[in-house]
Amino acid sequence: MRHDHRPYWMHALWEQFENAWTRHFLKPHFESLGDHAKVVRPWNVEVFGPNVHAGKAIHIVSRRDQPVSFTVWSPADAPGEIHIGDCCFFAGSIRILAAERIIIGNAALLAKSVTITDSDWHGLYDRTTARPPSAPVIIGDNVWIGDGAFIGKGVTIGDNAVIGARSVVTRDVPANTVVAGAPAKPLKTLDPDGPFKTRMEMLGDAEGLERFMQAAYREQLGGNSTLGWLRSKVFPRRGD
């Protein structure tokens, strides 16, 4: 389809359904989840293990073929943890896997198929150990991680850094640095004074943004009808 043929009432009802699913089925799996979470198809998001914390206005976009997972390995004497800041965005097929600690700062942007892990999960010689080598991963504020990038154990990425698509990051990335490649290497340094415009600014007034988006959808979908939507599903035409 080239256009969204749904009438506004259908869009609003779907949003209410996703929000209710998030509150009832997904939120209890987080140790803490801030207000104004927006999760697209929340039934495709898996939170496994304890100590998964997320701040306010998290935005997760998933699909059946692009699930999102937050996984904590939790032996009784040393459970891992994941801490996600405010106003972060997670696209489909993202995997966050913690044996020790993964911290993601405010306003981070993670594109499709990113993997962040703080562990090798198996030793080079002992591949049966329940305590594989691990080291914390720290992602700063306003970090942008591109499509398919891999962030390995012990890595710290500074504020405002950009990780190029398909990069393999095994060493620290300084703040305000653009890196890419496998292994990732510095390509460019950003002006630390910016000015940067972040998701913190966009989502700072989450309720105001919600009102704006509702008005925008009302205008965009205002000419649609239930019969028109049914026609587009049953008898699609070129241009639909």
Side-chain angles (χ1 to χ4, degrees):
M1 291 292 174
R2 303 183 189 186
H3 305 287
D4 188 345
H5 292 272
R6 295 174 300 168
Y8 178 76
W9 70 262
M10 190 177 295
H11 160 77
L13 188 63
W14 183 256
E15 290 249 321
Q16 292 172 20
F17 175 67
E18 287 185 330
N19 292 340
W21 185 290
T22 298
R23 290 191 300 269
H24 184 75
F25 291 108
L26 185 59
K27 185 174 181 178
H29 294 278
F30 285 87
E31 200 74 27
S32 61
L33 178 64
D35 295 335
H36 306 296
K38 173 57 183 169
V39 186
V40 176
R41 301 177 186 88
W43 43 90
N44 297 319
V45 177
E46 180 186 43
V47 180
F48 180 83
N51 306 323
V52 180
H53 302 264
K56 67 181 182 181
I58 190 173
H59 189 180
I60 303 172
V61 178
S62 71
R63 297 191 338 190
R64 181 174 59 183
D65 62 333
Q66 297 176 16
V68 173
S69 63
F70 304 95
T71 302
V72 170
W73 174 244
S74 55
D77 58 336
E81 55 185 341
I82 296 172
H83 289 265
I84 300 166
D86 295 338
C87 305
C88 291
F89 175 85
F90 295 84
S93 298
I94 284 175
R95 299 187 305 153
I96 313 296
L97 307 102
E100 187 172 337
R101 184 184 308 111
I102 294 175
I103 298 175
I104 299 174
N106 297 324
L109 284 163
L110 279 70
K112 178 179 174 293
S113 301
V114 165
T115 297
I116 301 175
T117 179
D118 66 358
S119 175
D120 294 333
W121 300 106
H122 300 283
L124 289 176
Y125 294 96
D126 182 358
R127 303 186 186 184
T128 65
T129 177
R131 191 62 52 79
S134 63
V137 174
I138 300 175
I139 311 294
D141 294 342
N142 197 37
V143 170
W144 176 14
I145 303 178
D147 191 292
F150 175 87
I151 314 297
K153 74 178 193 298
V155 167
T156 294
I157 299 177
D159 296 349
N160 306 315
V162 178
I163 311 301
R166 302 296 190 271
S167 295
V168 176
V169 183
T170 58
R171 295 185 178 181
D172 291 352
V173 177
N176 308 304
T177 302
V178 179
V179 303
K185 297 180 180 179
L187 299 180
K188 182 178 181 178
T189 300
L190 304 177
D191 182 350
D193 296 325
F196 294 100
K197 187 173 182 179
T198 78
R199 290 178 62 82
M200 293 290 287
E201 297 171 72
M202 182 177 73
L203 297 171
D205 177 12
E207 293 178 353
L209 179 63
E210 180 66 20
R211 290 192 296 271
F212 170 82
M213 294 301 297
Q214 287 177 358
Y217 271 109
R218 283 184 184 276
E219 181 177 354
Q220 178 185 351
L221 305 177
N224 294 348
S225 67
T226 304
L227 286 177
W229 173 79
L230 284 171
R231 194 275 312 156
S232 72
K233 293 297 183 183
V234 179
F235 300 106
R237 300 188 299 228
R238 181 174 287 111
D240 281 344

